[in-house]
Amino acid sequence: MTTDVVDAETPSRWHELAPGVLTLRTSSFGVNVGLVVGDERALVVDTGAGPLEAAELYGNVRAVTDLPLVVVNTHAHGDHFFGNGYFAAQGVAEFWATSRCSDVQADSEDQRALVADTEPAMAAGEGEHTELRPADRLVQGQPVDLDLGGVSVTLFHLGRGHTDHDLLVGAGNVLFTGDLVEEGADPAFEDSFPADWVRTLGKMMALEDLYDVFVPGHGEPVGVEAVATQLNTMRQGIRVTRLAMDEASMDMTKAIPILPYGPEQSRALLVRLRTLAHWKWLTRKH
Ligand SMILES: [Zn+2]
């Protein structure tokens, strides 16, 4: 599906999900970037993994609209926000995220190595537009409605999940979910709060009267059934992992083959649940 807001002569990487609501997949990490076009401003959801990718993305945005831009970051993983510096250099002044996301973004030097293959300057922290550019327009708890001129976009946080600061972006019937929803791959548990994530997906499903297209952080847009499937699979995965953790004598890695995920994310889920259980024990009053 090709958008009709783009000149028919121009090959476009955008897909129009609803009138004025588009998505494009970045070439490095396959992040689904969003674009929502109003009458006065346009909003970009996530900025790619560094200045090279951001420049390409910016060119694609400018093929659609010349309007002033607002940026939203779904969360503080480098593949989603390392392009902020480039967008700032193009005059973008508003970068929205949750307040916790902004704090993590400012403290993300250790993520640079993740983009070494495709963004060597960003990885080295040397060169133009390679500074970390945290969001400075903050969503603190209550949803925020942004008026783009005839089009309103809602930014909101539903609870912990893929991270402790995931922001959702609702535009018309389309919901950009960041990495809270994953299509075509396992959800990424490294920085997650698995039990909360299940609850957050439940809250997301309850929004099905408002939204019927859910744009995952990576992979194809899905319907609410896929969110339900991810929730059920995750609930089962947590149950199996916890059972293994309760078997004190059992080598927990034996649970990995029976988990509903591949080895990498099964291990990440296990490590994460074990770490969170340990924190809980440490902070308990004895
Ligand atoms: Zn992520």
Side-chain angles (χ1 to χ4, degrees):
M1 187 168 42
T2 306
T3 168
D4 41 9
V5 268
V6 177
D7 181 343
E9 303 288 308
T10 315
S12 174
R13 289 173 51 196
W14 294 106
H15 293 272
E16 190 164 33
L17 301 168
V21 184
L22 304 92
T23 185
L24 168 161
R25 190 165 304 169
T26 65
S27 33
S28 61
F29 291 84
V31 168
N32 288 323
V33 168
L35 176 64
V36 185
V37 184
D39 292 335
E40 291 157 20
R41 301 192 289 174
L43 177 141
V44 177
V45 183
D46 288 337
T47 58
L52 295 176
E53 191 159 81
E56 191 185 333
L57 177 57
Y58 185 79
N60 280 284
V61 169
R62 285 302 178 220
V64 175
T65 177
D66 291 328
L67 290 170
L69 302 178
V70 181
V71 161
V72 178
N73 293 135
T74 57
H75 63 295
H77 283 157
D79 51 336
H80 295 257
F81 87 95
F82 276 179
N84 282 10
Y86 183 88
F87 276 79
Q90 309 313 308
V92 176
E94 282 188 33
F95 290 81
W96 287 87
T98 60
S99 47
R100 170 71 183 149
C101 178
S102 178
D103 291 345
V104 177
Q105 286 174 327
D107 189 27
S108 285
E109 290 293 336
D110 61 342
Q111 287 195 65
R112 288 186 184 273
L114 295 173
V115 302
D117 288 348
T118 56
E119 298 274 355
M122 191 71 203
E126 290 167 5
E128 282 193 311
H129 320 312
T130 59
E131 73 284 4
L132 297 176
R133 204 318 184 164
D136 50 14
R137 301 293 178 107
L138 306 179
V139 180
Q140 303 271 19
Q142 290 305 307
V144 169
D145 287 322
L146 294 182
D147 181 9
L148 306 179
V151 174
S152 178
V153 173
T154 306
L155 315 181
F156 57 101
H157 172 72
L158 283 178
R160 300 193 297 189
H162 172 67
T163 66
D164 59 3
H165 57 261
D166 305 284
L167 186 66
L168 294 102
V169 182
N173 65 325
V174 178
L175 185 64
F176 293 93
T177 69
D179 288 355
L180 283 169
V181 177
E182 187 82 32
E183 192 280 329
D186 289 339
F189 287 105
E190 287 84 352
D191 297 324
S192 74
F193 295 82
D196 302 67
W197 198 344
V198 170
R199 283 191 285 275
T200 297
L201 289 172
K203 290 182 197 168
M204 196 187 299
M205 286 178 60
L207 301 175
E208 66 174 317
D209 289 344
L210 293 173
Y211 305 109
D212 50 23
V213 179
F214 297 78
V215 183
H218 309 256
E220 293 295 325
V222 295
V224 73
E225 330 73 55
V227 181
T229 302
Q230 183 177 317
L231 183 158
N232 288 325
T233 305
M234 197 175 289
R235 188 154 49 196
Q236 184 207 346
I238 293 169
R239 194 178 295 142
V240 170
T241 307
R242 283 196 173 141
L243 280 172
M245 287 164 69
D246 289 344
E247 295 277 336
S249 62
M250 183 176 166
D251 173 6
M252 287 210 292
T253 57
K254 286 184 183 151
I256 288 175
I258 53 170
L259 278 169
Y261 301 118
E264 186 187 351
Q265 288 307 323
S266 292
R267 193 173 300 275
L269 172 60
L270 197 153
V271 167
R272 197 62 188 159
L273 285 174
R274 190 161 44 183
T275 304
L276 292 172
H278 190 59
W279 283 354
K280 203 169 169 184
W281 184 83
L282 284 175
T283 53
R284 201 172 56 187
K285 287 200 177 85
H286 292 286

